[in-house]
Amino acid sequence: MRKISALEITKVVKELCVGAACNLPPDVAAAVKSAHAKEESPLGKEVLGQIIENFEIAGREGLPMCQDTGIAVFFVEVGREAAMDGSLADAVNEGVRQGYKDGYLRKSVCHPIKRLNTGDNTPAIIHASIVEGDMVKIKFAPKGAGSENMSRLKMLKPAEGIIGIKAFVVETIREAGGNPCPPIVVGVGIGGDFEMSAMLAKKALLRPVGAPNPDHDLSGLEKELLELVNELGIGPMGFGGTVTALAVHVEAHPCHIASLPVAINIQCHADRHKEAVI
Amino acid sequence: MTEPIKITPPIVDADVMRLKAGDKVLITGVIYTARDAAHKRLVELLDRGGKLPFDVKGQLIYYVGPTPAKPGQVIGSAGPTTSGRMDAYTPRLLALGLKGMIGKGARNKDVLDAMKRHKAVYFAAVGGAAALIARSIKKAEIIAYEDLGPEAIRRLEVVDFPAIVVNDAVGGDLFHQGVEKYRRAP
């Protein structure tokens, strides 16, 4: 067994929180710049220019690119030969607490009904799994509410099939309009059960922007959905334009013979994610 | 592209009426911040017959919950939040003379009707451009509900704060017009 200290986890999580808030990953930056080159609407182009200027300032000056520094979402893979000297959840939450405080990030987590802010952006949302090996891999993807709020899940009838899936994606993006800060990345989870479809949609967002699903049918669907979404004309910030989405990512999983769950998780252009391996 | 129109709040009906959907503006002067939690308190206060912590007449409200300011900063990153969450509260404030709101995303029919009735304008700022927008904020001071943290009401002094008119007071709607122009789907 390889020993891993909880303090190390906390330290890494703290760095991930601050680093992700201020630095747009290179794949996303490249996708936004390519959108800027492609956008046909002059106003849309100008908006994309401001978005680029903003993330460049943020990276250079170490400032959060968006004031919504998100609810802290983690995907943690723990090698079965890694032995931690404490609770994973405690270690991660302590890292969030320190990162959001010392990094001057906004604390955006509250009681769902009383709406009282917890004050330190905890609890984080932690999805952990046990894998082979002795390493711990932590993926951090802070999620802003503007885009999360426009996400949808629907239990389709199997008879609705691929036509129903496409219609649901297009309708969801149309309805979202400018709210989720387009250009967006669209994560689509097809199959599994109720909660798994949502997890698939969220995991789809963790892929590098525009990296196709290795399955040929699904990558074809991604391409078609991206065209359909961009034909909506919503454009940057909803002001009208040819680039509404930077990419559509689809993940699929077998489901019950009576079900067709479909979840759509929307991600804004400030598509922040960062990972570390311990 | 046309030159931006300069706006200096407080503004009056005539200022509102010359703004059209799609106009770019630069705002200089005082604006106030408020989002969901603050709006809820403002409207509850009105329900009890109380006096608002600032007079909304002629003013603009910016929907924002900034990040904490770092040492030496006036304010942290400060981009717009989704305006639709304030729809339930906005008509009450418009009836008291609020002249404009700055946020992102669409407003509902109640708000748009109230904007026509009371002559007001809805601006959008670029969502996510929070570090860039913060540069136009020169002074920030909490004037109410400090316990709400990022949701406290702040009085901001801004210079050339960039925004765009989405909904004017005569029914013009940039979201509708812009999308119609670029829509290729039926």
Side-chain angles (χ1 to χ4, degrees), chain A residues 54 57-58 63-67, chain B residues 76-79 128-136:
Chain A
N54 180 69
I57 292 171
L63 302 173
M65 68 190 78
C66 180
Q67 77 290 337
Chain B
S77 298
L132 179 65
I133 290 171
R135 292 187 160 188
S136 63

Side-chain angles (χ1 to χ4, degrees), chain A residues 7 37 46 54 102 121 145 153 180 183 250 276:
Chain A
L7 282 174
E46 198 177 320
N54 180 69
D102 297 350
N121 221 53
L153 193 154
V250 176

Side-chain angles (χ1 to χ4, degrees), chain A residues 71-74 89 93 96-97 109-110 118 120-126:
Chain A
I71 189 165
V73 182
F74 293 89
N93 278 318
V96 169
R97 205 169 280 127
V109 175
C110 70
T118 63
D120 58 9
N121 221 53
T122 68
I125 293 175
I126 305 167

Side-chain angles (χ1 to χ4, degrees), chain A residues 41-43 46 50 53-54 57 61-67 104-106 179 181 230-233 237-241 269, chain B residues 1 24 35 65 67-71 73 77 79 104-106 126-132 135 164 175 178-179 182 184-185:
Chain A
S41 149
L43 180 57
E46 198 177 320
Q50 285 188 33
E53 191 184 351
N54 180 69
I57 292 171
E61 300 184 12
L63 302 173
M65 68 190 78
C66 180
Q67 77 290 337
Y104 295 90
L105 308 184
R106 198 179 78 184
N179 286 3
C181 289
N230 283 335
E231 281 175 4
L232 290 171
M237 289 317 294
F239 298 156
H269 60 74
Chain B
M1 302 295 280
K24 282 185 280 181
R35 28 178 295 154
T67 59
K70 286 186 172 181
Q73 270 190 317
S77 298
K104 67 174 175 87
V126 173
L132 179 65
R135 292 187 160 188
I164 183 156
F175 289 140
V179 171
Y182 291 96
R184 281 172 292 149

Side-chain angles (χ1 to χ4, degrees), chain B residues 40-115:
Chain B
K40 184 163 186 279
R41 286 197 190 175
L42 292 176
V43 167
E44 284 169 359
L45 190 61
L46 290 174
D47 286 343
R48 292 196 304 269
K51 187 170 171 287
L52 296 181
F54 68 99
D55 185 0
V56 298
K57 196 169 189 310
Q59 302 298 341
L60 308 181
I61 289 181
Y62 179 27
Y63 302 141
V64 61
T67 59
K70 286 186 172 181
Q73 270 190 317
V74 166
I75 195 165
S77 298
T81 194
T82 310
S83 308
R85 297 197 316 275
M86 270 56 77
D87 283 351
Y89 310 111
T90 300
R92 286 289 293 279
L93 301 179
L94 290 170
L96 293 175
L98 179 70
K99 284 289 146 199
M101 299 75 68
I102 309 162
K104 67 174 175 87
R107 309 309 305 258
N108 72 8
K109 190 171 179 303
D110 289 347
V111 173
L112 298 179
D113 288 348
M115 283 171 53

Side-chain angles (χ1 to χ4, degrees), chain B residues 13 35 41 56 59 78 114 137 139-140 142 145 153 171 177 186:
Chain B
D13 288 359
R35 28 178 295 154
R41 286 197 190 175
V56 298
Q59 302 298 341
I137 302 171
K139 201 175 162 193
I142 293 179
Y145 312 147
I153 294 183
Q177 294 159 14

Side-chain angles (χ1 to χ4, degrees), chain B residues 32-33 74-75 139-144 153-157:
Chain B
Y32 293 89
T33 75
V74 166
I75 195 165
K139 201 175 162 193
E141 166 193 18
I142 293 179
I143 59 160
I153 294 183
R154 289 168 171 82
R155 180 184 183 276
L156 305 182
E157 287 181 24

